Amino acid sequence: MVTKMLVLAVAALVPIAAVDAKTYFQDGMKWEMCKSGTQSPDPIFVTETVSIDGEMDGMNARIMTCGYTDPSQPTVTFYVRTEGERVYCSPVSSGDLEWHLLYDFSLKAGEGCYVESPSVSSSDGIFFRTYVKCVSVKENDPEWQGWDTIRLEEYDSHDCGRLIGSGIWLKGLASVNGVLDNNRFDSDGVCSSLESASLKGETVYSRTPSSVTMSESDYESDIQPEYYSIDGVRLKDEPSSGIYLKRKTSGVVKIVR
């Protein structure tokens, strides 16, 4: 099989202490995500930055801005507000504010709600809407730096007849896919991950590269490789086609096409 490879750093989780707040959707907050598109011949990687800075006059809401390292991608602005552990947003372009639920961090096992994703909003302001059901809540989850995690199943409606995906929210912070990727967890051709988050310059979450260099001879050693899907799920065997990750050390992976 002819392959094209790109050497990348693997993100290692670094424990960071959280601040005492119901949610992190407050002034001075910033999230950074790595996004990759796999539908083109070569995977495309961009950094998405979402920040909150400033309040709306006369309302308990703040201004959220989303931008990209790719200059062809437009900067998008939303309004965001919280009610307890619920987070809502509204597009600035709408005449009357239309609040859409992004997160409900108060969900308990067996509970669910409709959430909407602004990262796939259409030109007329319609968000991507799905129903998420909480499978479990795990306090101090060791797999995620000791954050409380909410594990979710995603359906197209509240009758939960057709499972379309599964995902994880870090309680009060964001989806592990990214702050604006609160649903559509298993989107074809797109991979997104939350890389870091900071509040007023203080890091509250980080995925830090453990290595950035490696020679081809080192990679082609006798170490038994591990294989992962593009969204990080470990595979039993090497796929015969498609895009996947191949790793031989804890520091570096290759994307193979």
Side-chain angles (χ1 to χ4, degrees):
M1 178 177 64
V2 178
T3 61
K4 182 177 290 186
M5 299 184 181
L6 174 66
V7 177
L8 297 175
V10 169
L13 294 171
V14 177
I16 299 292
V19 299
D20 183 16
K22 287 188 176 180
T23 80
Y24 286 85
F25 289 77
Q26 41 191 295
D27 280 341
M29 190 66 196
K30 182 170 75 173
W31 298 262
E32 287 194 350
M33 281 65 60
C34 177
K35 291 185 170 288
S36 60
T38 59
Q39 293 175 326
S40 60
D42 295 303
I44 300 171
F45 295 86
V46 298
T47 298
E48 176 186 69
T49 302
V50 177
S51 58
I52 296 178
D53 188 16
E55 295 187 9
M56 293 174 58
D57 293 336
M59 295 187 66
N60 184 27
R62 296 173 175 84
I63 300 171
M64 172 184 278
T65 304
C66 175
Y68 300 87
T69 51
D70 181 355
S72 67
Q73 297 286 339
T75 297
V76 183
T77 302
F78 302 97
Y79 295 135
V80 63
R81 66 179 176 87
T82 60
E83 291 181 3
E85 294 185 272
R86 292 191 177 109
V87 182
Y88 298 86
C89 82
S90 173
V92 172
S93 57
S94 60
D96 297 324
L97 296 182
E98 299 177 356
W99 294 106
H100 304 264
L101 181 63
L102 291 181
Y103 293 97
D104 184 353
F105 292 117
S106 69
L107 288 178
K108 298 178 177 60
E111 297 179 343
C113 63
Y114 283 100
V115 293
E116 300 181 73
S117 172
S119 61
V120 289
S121 59
S122 63
S123 59
D124 57 3
I126 298 175
F127 286 17
F128 191 91
R129 186 172 188 252
T130 61
Y131 186 83
V132 293
K133 180 180 178 180
C134 177
V135 176
S136 66
V137 177
K138 188 171 185 178
E139 296 183 354
N140 304 316
D141 192 336
E143 293 183 29
W144 294 96
Q145 307 179 14
W147 282 82
D148 292 352
T149 55
I150 302 174
R151 295 178 184 268
L152 303 158
E153 292 178 342
E154 184 178 18
Y155 299 88
D156 54 4
S157 68
H158 65 274
D159 61 11
C160 301
R162 186 170 72 92
L163 180 68
I164 59 176
S166 59
I168 299 173
W169 291 348
L170 304 180
K171 193 167 185 177
L173 181 66
S175 163
V176 299
N177 289 16
V179 65
L180 299 182
D181 293 281
N182 51 314
N183 63 358
R184 69 184 189 101
F185 301 118
D186 296 335
S187 244
D188 290 339
V190 178
C191 180
S192 177
S193 65
L194 177 64
E195 295 297 305
S196 66
S198 61
L199 178 60
K200 297 179 180 178
E202 180 181 351
T203 300
V204 297
Y205 175 87
S206 178
R207 286 171 59 91
T208 304
S210 59
S211 176
V212 294
T213 59
M214 186 179 188
S215 70
E216 187 68 18
S217 60
D218 288 339
Y219 189 83
E220 298 301 337
S221 66
D222 293 331
I223 300 173
Q224 186 67 27
E226 299 172 352
Y227 303 101
Y228 296 82
S229 67
I230 196 68
D231 57 357
V233 177
R234 187 170 179 178
L235 306 174
K236 182 179 180 181
D237 300 305
E238 182 173 13
S240 59
S241 62
I243 298 176
Y244 59 94
L245 307 178
K246 181 178 181 181
R247 183 175 75 174
K248 282 195 174 182
T249 76
S250 62
V252 174
V253 298
K254 290 183 177 181
I255 288 186
V256 182
R257 182 179 179 85

